[in-house]
Amino acid sequence: MPTIHDVAKLAGVSRSTVSRVLNNRPGVHPKTRERVLAAVRELNYAPNFAARALKRQRADAVGLIIPASFREPRSDEPRGYVLTEIIRGAYNFFTEQRLALTLLDDQGTFRFYQALFERRQVDGLLFIDLEPDPHMVERLKGLDVPFVVIGNVDAEDVVCVDVDNYESSRRVVYYLYQMGHRRIAFINGPQRRFASRDRRAGVLAAVTELGLSLPDAYDQPGDFSERSGQKAMWRLLEADPRPTAIYAMNDRMAIGAIRAARDAGLRVPEDISVVGFDDIPVAPYIRPPLTTVRQPLYELGAAAARLLVQRIAGQELPSRRVLLPALLVERESVRSLPTEA
Amino acid sequence: MPTIHDVAKLAGVSRSTVSRVLNNRPGVHPKTRERVLAAVRELNYAPNFAARALKRQRADAVGLIIPASFREPRSDEPRGYVLTEIIRGAYNFFTEQRLALTLLDDQGTFRFYQALFERRQVDGLLFIDLEPDPHMVERLKGLDVPFVVIGNVDAEDVVCVDVDNYESSRRVVYYLYQMGHRRIAFINGPQRRFASRDRRAGVLAAVTELGLSLPDAYDQPGDFSERSGQKAMWRLLEADPRPTAIYAMNDRMAIGAIRAARDAGLRVPEDISVVGFDDIPVAPYIRPPLTTVRQPLYELGAAAARLLVQRIAGQELPSRRVLLPALLVERESVRSLPTEA
DNA sequence: TTGTATGCGTTATCAA
DNA sequence: TTGATAACGCATACAA
């Protein structure tokens, strides 16, 4: 492959001139520029990536740190869809900015991320769902590596972008209320997850604002699995009075809940309404099609990418926490109830 | 960040010695090696990626070329799932080999791929589903860039790995036959796709081997969309005699077909059986759960990655076409028929 | 407006 | 067993 030297020779100029033309530096005679460009085309020249990175001290690449679960075999989790949409959003933005996107998995070790950056293999890091380790984030802040987290993080001054779990949840309860429901129950996710806590907080806020209450019997734990949704529903069905609407923190639990209801001889939504969260691909296909909250996955990826690029450019970021609104997708799993006046 | 020079100084040796230690070269005194390693640890040194690439003339990175459709917004297509599984397989293998994986989209221009390689940004290219352009592949072969294609390709001497569409399809027909079906119809995909052609060829082979036939009325075109499956089913239902089993080339068309059957007042599988292809995530969730063929997506990615690494290493490849077996997943959309003796 | 010289951080060749 | 030195290909400060 040709080098800048070959181009210079062919164009009859020095290497510096070629470099100037290639980098759009001013102060090159149009005529000369023309000749150089012609030579570039003729030789099909493209600047060596490594040499440029070495000289410029930047990689023109960012690392996307995907959850360690990515390396594990197929599971129930709609990971594929979620991940793809987020990556797509980030990828499109980075590509526009002429930044390469390198896939890396979450090895959980600080040392690994440090090396990545110190080796200048990447100019910045984008973490997807780095939930559990605020400690690592703290250490990361010690480095000067620009990074952005998708999902919430329990650390100060970390740039992160997330769906507005609190507000979305609050909206769901309001929606249910508008549909005439007053006895609204709730299937939660693991409490160690921010998403669960925030969504639950939104529910509590709405319930309070609306003058309702959330008795313990209506506040069931779950672990995001379909099975746990099913079990939670069993308990919910024994509550007295029975709730008229169930809000599950994710679609898989909602699906489990619907199954449990049906097994108990109840119809959804005629006898009991169910709302999920995520809008996973199967949501429209189950019976009944699931009313749920769609996360702005693509936008999450794109927003995070934009923030990361700004950080790499050294800009001060206006806010360190960006919350994106989610969309309530009405399908058929919620019934409108005549309000009990 | 520290350089090899700093390490050398701290360890009281020359840069060459440090380099030797770092690259596990023989001929270093154990004592010296020890000192160097200690210095490396103390400084938290990691070799500069660009400098190394420049010197070694390789990037230690491969490019994954994803379909251009990736950049487009969410569609019905189960692209997310398929892509994720393939990438996961490839990613895990590359990571083992200490190769970084860079995401790149299919810009369709030969020039782009050429530059990628000539810039030494990647050591090789992995194409996912590069269906339409054998011409580009031919040109790619002209370069000395190692590449492997996932999916079939209409060109000679190209290393590609794919699911064994022909054989899998053949198996489906045998399966249906064993279940007692004799009037088996077929909903095809777009003929320009290899997958469609190969799957159809498998059907024809099986039909012939089993002494059945595939009348024109049983051989319906489709375009992979749910809607087209539905339409094909309408035509199929008018055939006389009506087929007892339908084999659709993908799950979405199968879902469309089931819908059409139900709309026509037929029950699946009691009145008519349906088989799909792909095992998309919704397949187990539809009514009835869909019997279908699961592609070995993860394995496809892993196999392709392995082949690419071999090519990069300059090994001659034993075969230039690798076909992986698919798995028939029996669910509830096929009924066992008493054989008409 | 253009060219010369130097260095980015490694690895590899050759001497010692 | 080790060290000096020369590339790798590019960008830039400075000189012309």
Side-chain angles (χ1 to χ4, degrees):
Chain A
M1 25 351 20
T3 73
I4 200 173
H5 184 78
D6 302 317
V7 178
K9 217 164 45 180
L10 182 60
V13 298
S14 75
R15 290 175 314 180
S16 13
T17 301
V18 176
S19 178
R20 274 190 278 264
V21 171
L22 258 33
N23 295 288
N24 281 315
R25 290 263 178 295
V28 179
H29 193 95
K31 211 75 183 176
T32 316
R33 175 181 301 271
E34 206 51 48
R35 277 218 314 286
V36 170
L37 258 21
V40 165
R41 269 193 302 275
E42 177 163 347
L43 294 174
N44 242 323
Y45 167 78
N48 181 291
F49 200 69
R52 187 171 259 188
L54 178 59
K55 185 64 190 174
R56 289 183 173 167
Q57 297 287 57
R58 61 184 152 91
D60 283 331
V62 298
L64 182 70
I65 312 289
I66 48 196
S69 66
F70 181 70
R71 298 195 69 167
E72 290 152 24
R74 169 183 177 137
S75 72
D76 280 342
E77 201 171 354
R79 164 187 66 194
Y81 171 69
V82 171
L83 223 48
T84 311
E85 284 302 297
I86 292 179
I87 293 179
R88 207 166 61 78
Y91 175 78
N92 282 354
F93 187 80
F94 286 135
T95 300
E96 261 174 38
Q97 303 287 315
R98 314 194 141 266
L99 285 170
L101 212 192
T102 298
L103 237 48
L104 298 158
D105 65 342
D106 185 352
Q107 313 222 337
T109 86
F110 169 73
R111 183 78 191 78
F112 173 73
Y113 303 126
Q114 182 184 27
L116 227 41
F117 185 67
E118 303 222 313
R119 297 167 53 118
R120 286 273 124 82
Q121 189 171 355
V122 298
D123 298 321
L125 257 20
L126 190 60
F127 290 88
I128 296 186
D129 190 26
L130 171 104
E131 289 276 7
D133 200 351
H135 181 243
M136 222 258 312
V137 177
E138 287 297 339
R139 298 187 64 188
L140 228 38
K141 274 164 44 188
L143 288 176
D144 52 347
V145 43
F147 72 99
V148 169
V149 177
I150 296 179
N152 210 330
V153 142
D154 197 3
E156 290 297 310
D157 292 318
V158 166
V159 180
C160 65
V161 14
D162 201 356
V163 62
D164 193 339
N165 285 300
Y166 174 87
E167 186 56 27
S168 313
S169 241
R170 198 167 149 271
R171 288 268 176 81
V172 169
V173 176
Y174 270 85
Y175 166 73
L176 255 15
Y177 187 89
Q178 281 165 12
M179 295 294 275
H181 294 273
R182 295 297 177 267
R183 299 201 299 276
I184 300 170
F186 177 64
I187 304 179
N188 199 6
Q191 271 303 294
R192 57 182 171 76
R193 307 280 295 239
F194 285 96
S196 308
R197 280 183 273 175
D198 290 350
R199 289 175 197 174
R200 185 161 182 284
V203 169
L204 288 177
V207 160
T208 308
E209 290 163 18
L210 291 168
L212 306 176
S213 70
L214 188 70
D216 283 350
Y218 280 20
D219 186 14
Q220 294 291 342
D223 63 9
F224 282 164
S225 74
E226 190 172 321
R227 179 75 185 155
S228 77
Q230 199 174 6
K231 288 192 198 159
M233 190 58 145
W234 290 342
R235 296 190 294 268
L236 252 16
L237 293 179
E238 286 171 7
D240 183 28
R242 203 172 67 200
T244 61
I246 313 292
Y247 169 33
M249 290 295 80
N250 77 345
D251 287 349
R252 279 182 294 150
M253 294 195 296
I255 290 173
I258 290 176
R259 172 163 307 165
R262 183 169 300 136
D263 290 348
L266 295 175
R267 290 160 309 163
V268 178
E270 291 81 358
D271 300 318
I272 192 161
S273 295
V274 176
V275 179
F277 200 108
D278 282 345
D279 195 21
I280 62 179
V282 302
Y285 287 95
I286 63 164
R287 305 305 321 169
L290 187 66
T291 290
T292 183
V293 177
R294 179 182 301 165
Q295 300 210 37
L297 299 170
Y298 181 92
E299 290 75 14
L300 241 28
R306 176 186 306 275
L307 289 169
L308 182 56
V309 167
Q310 289 174 352
R311 286 215 54 176
I312 291 174
Q315 290 176 32
E316 270 313 302
L317 261 28
S319 120
R320 63 186 187 296
R321 199 152 168 242
V322 177
L323 293 182
L324 266 38
L327 181 71
L328 182 72
V329 182
E330 278 194 70
R331 285 197 270 254
E332 302 168 28
S333 61
V334 173
R335 177 194 168 194
S336 172
L337 230 57
T339 35
E340 320 160 2
Chain B
M1 29 340 31
T3 73
I4 199 171
H5 184 78
D6 302 316
V7 177
K9 219 164 43 183
L10 182 61
V13 298
S14 73
R15 291 175 312 179
S16 344
T17 301
V18 176
S19 178
R20 272 190 280 263
V21 171
L22 259 31
N23 294 288
N24 281 315
R25 292 260 181 296
V28 179
H29 193 94
K31 211 76 184 176
T32 316
R33 174 180 303 269
E34 207 52 48
R35 276 218 314 288
V36 170
L37 258 21
V40 165
R41 270 192 302 273
E42 176 164 348
L43 295 174
N44 243 324
Y45 167 77
N48 181 290
F49 201 69
R52 187 172 258 189
L54 177 59
K55 185 60 189 176
R56 288 184 171 166
Q57 298 287 58
R58 63 184 150 90
D60 284 329
V62 298
L64 181 70
I65 312 289
I66 47 196
S69 66
F70 181 70
R71 298 195 68 166
E72 292 152 23
R74 170 183 176 137
S75 72
D76 282 340
E77 202 171 353
R79 162 187 68 192
Y81 171 70
V82 171
L83 223 48
T84 311
E85 284 302 296
I86 292 179
I87 293 179
R88 206 166 61 79
Y91 175 78
N92 282 355
F93 187 80
F94 287 135
T95 300
E96 262 175 37
Q97 304 287 314
R98 313 195 141 267
L99 285 170
L101 212 191
T102 299
L103 236 48
L104 299 158
D105 67 340
D106 185 350
Q107 313 222 337
T109 84
F110 168 73
R111 184 77 191 81
F112 173 73
Y113 303 125
Q114 182 184 28
L116 228 38
F117 186 67
E118 303 219 317
R119 297 168 55 122
R120 286 273 124 81
Q121 187 170 358
V122 298
D123 299 322
L125 258 18
L126 190 60
F127 290 89
I128 296 186
D129 191 26
L130 173 101
E131 288 277 5
D133 200 351
H135 180 242
M136 222 255 313
V137 178
E138 287 298 338
R139 298 185 63 186
L140 229 36
K141 277 165 41 189
L143 288 176
D144 50 349
V145 42
F147 72 100
V148 169
V149 178
I150 296 179
N152 210 331
V153 142
D154 197 4
E156 291 296 309
D157 293 317
V158 166
V159 181
C160 63
V161 14
D162 201 356
V163 61
D164 195 338
N165 285 301
Y166 174 87
E167 187 57 24
S168 312
S169 240
R170 199 168 148 268
R171 288 268 176 80
V172 169
V173 176
Y174 270 84
Y175 166 73
L176 255 13
Y177 187 90
Q178 282 165 11
M179 294 294 275
H181 294 274
R182 295 298 177 266
R183 298 201 302 273
I184 300 170
F186 177 67
I187 304 179
N188 200 4
Q191 271 303 294
R192 58 184 169 76
R193 307 279 296 238
F194 286 97
S196 308
R197 279 183 274 175
D198 290 349
R199 289 175 196 174
R200 186 162 183 283
V203 169
L204 289 177
V207 160
T208 308
E209 290 163 18
L210 291 168
L212 306 176
S213 70
L214 187 71
D216 284 349
Y218 281 20
D219 186 13
Q220 293 292 342
D223 63 11
F224 282 163
S225 74
E226 192 172 321
R227 179 77 184 152
S228 78
Q230 198 175 6
K231 287 193 200 162
M233 190 58 145
W234 291 341
R235 296 189 294 268
L236 251 16
L237 293 179
E238 286 171 5
D240 183 27
R242 205 171 66 200
T244 62
I246 312 294
Y247 169 33
M249 290 294 79
N250 76 346
D251 287 348
R252 279 182 293 151
M253 294 196 295
I255 290 173
I258 289 176
R259 172 163 307 167
R262 183 168 301 137
D263 290 348
L266 296 175
R267 290 160 310 164
V268 179
E270 291 80 357
D271 300 318
I272 193 162
S273 295
V274 176
V275 178
F277 201 108
D278 281 345
D279 195 22
I280 60 180
V282 301
Y285 287 94
I286 62 164
R287 304 305 322 169
L290 187 65
T291 291
T292 183
V293 177
R294 178 183 302 166
Q295 299 210 37
L297 299 170
Y298 180 91
E299 290 75 15
L300 241 28
R306 175 185 307 274
L307 290 169
L308 183 56
V309 167
Q310 289 176 351
R311 287 214 54 176
I312 290 174
Q315 288 176 33
E316 269 312 305
L317 261 28
S319 117
R320 61 186 187 296
R321 200 153 167 238
V322 177
L323 293 182
L324 266 37
L327 180 70
L328 182 71
V329 181
E330 277 194 71
R331 284 196 271 254
E332 301 167 29
S333 62
V334 173
R335 176 193 167 197
S336 172
L337 231 56
T339 34
E340 320 161 2

